[in-house]
Amino acid sequence: MKEIRTEDAVGQVLCQDITQIIKDKVKGPVFRKGHIVREEDIPVLLSVGKEHLYVWEKKEGILHENEGAEILYEICAGEGMTGTEIKEGKKEVIADCDGLLKIRSQALRKVNALGEMMIASRHGNTVVRKGDKIAGTRIIPLVIEEEKMKKAREAAGPEPIFSIKPFQFKKVGLVVTGSEIRKGLIEDTFSPVLEQKLSEFPTAVMGKVMPGDDKDAITAAILDFITQGADLVLCSGGMSVDPDDRTPGAISHTGARVVTYGAPVLPGAMMMVSYYEKDGKTIPIVGLPGCVMYAKRTIFDLLLPRLLADDEITAEEIVDLGEGGLCLNCKVCTYPNCGFGK
């Protein structure tokens, strides 16, 4: 830092907040640390009693914290994101559209491991809406070596650390299994739950069929929806190991590629994820266990955003859900602002 007359400070970078206090009216910073002084700022600075200022003395190869934050933002932000103004050395990344947040986790770790800089974000594979905060970036000291910021760019790689996969409009077919439902012995309470969850995204339910517990009938119902142009088929119930639970076999019988039958998540251990290929199009077929009907949050809530963003789910990713895969069934549910699925 160096001290300078206020009248000579145009173009200089402030090293501290400049506070204005007017009794019963104003108390707060009129200019923040990192602000670049303009000609029109001089009268304001003088009016708050600042005849001298501490400003940053530019040196070759040394960057101010604001410059460092800007570089970190450039490393992070992909399409569909905007940045806030830098305040107190921090620049935030904001979602500019709805979609599924994807994070290159290894790149994020490498940058944060360099020290003297930080990128703090929300979890990947979660829903973001337009205007949501994705991350905050800043360097830790007031100044940093330019060479270190070059290393940050190298550690991050050529692609942005964050990306948003926009949700795609999906036509959804519902296959409600169970002979008791087909015969009208009990009411179908599964479909309303699915319809409510789907309504939070750009989807249209094509219809529902109730083929009972006959494996061939379930298979035919799934394939019929696909023939009609379904982008996603959800099969409810019949997912356990009871002799009358035929849904897993029916899904497999369609010829779909099964990713997993079972997941280390509670509620939702008996879920099945598969993909059916038709005319170059990949159509997810998902078997939903009974818990989706009555539990507030299940594995379906974790995977549905990915299905609707065309983010293909792998068996390895299902395995990784084990850590954080236990819903605590809190009296007041705060999902997604909790640890479930993270």
Side-chain angles (χ1 to χ4, degrees), residues 274-294:
S274 67
Y275 290 97
Y276 186 90
E277 305 291 338
K278 179 179 173 62
D279 301 329
K281 179 180 177 182
T282 300
I283 303 149
I285 305 172
V286 181
L288 303 175
C291 62
V292 175
M293 177 174 54
Y294 60 81

Side-chain angles (χ1 to χ4, degrees), residues 51-125:
E51 296 188 355
H52 296 82
L53 301 169
Y54 282 122
V55 297
W56 179 51
E57 191 170 12
K58 178 73 172 176
K59 291 184 178 179
E60 190 68 29
I62 300 295
L63 301 177
H64 184 264
E65 63 175 353
N66 286 10
E67 295 174 293
E70 193 64 49
I71 291 171
L72 290 175
Y73 169 77
E74 292 169 4
I75 287 171
C76 288
E79 290 186 19
M81 303 177 198
T82 55
T84 61
E85 291 184 17
I86 298 175
K87 292 183 179 179
E88 299 178 335
K90 179 177 68 176
K91 189 176 181 77
E92 296 177 340
V93 185
I94 306 297
D96 210 24
C97 65
D98 295 355
L100 180 77
L101 176 64
K102 301 295 292 184
I103 300 178
R104 295 172 49 239
S105 300
Q106 200 60 30
L108 180 61
R109 293 190 193 97
K110 287 181 179 179
V111 173
N112 281 329
L114 291 172
E116 295 190 300
M117 64 188 73
M118 56 77 64
I119 304 168
S121 77
R122 59 173 64 202
H123 284 279
N125 284 337

Side-chain angles (χ1 to χ4, degrees), residues 173 175-177 218 222 233-237 239 247 251 285-289:
V175 179
V176 182
T177 68
I218 297 171
I222 295 169
V233 180
L234 301 177
C235 303
S236 64
M239 293 299 298
T247 306
I251 293 173
I285 305 172
V286 181
L288 303 175

Side-chain angles (χ1 to χ4, degrees), residues 144-166:
I144 193 168
E145 296 175 359
E146 187 175 8
E147 185 61 31
K148 192 144 196 178
M149 298 311 300
K150 289 181 180 178
K151 289 181 180 179
R153 289 188 187 276
E154 292 170 2
E159 300 296 323
I161 291 177
F162 304 121
S163 59
I164 296 176
K165 285 194 162 188

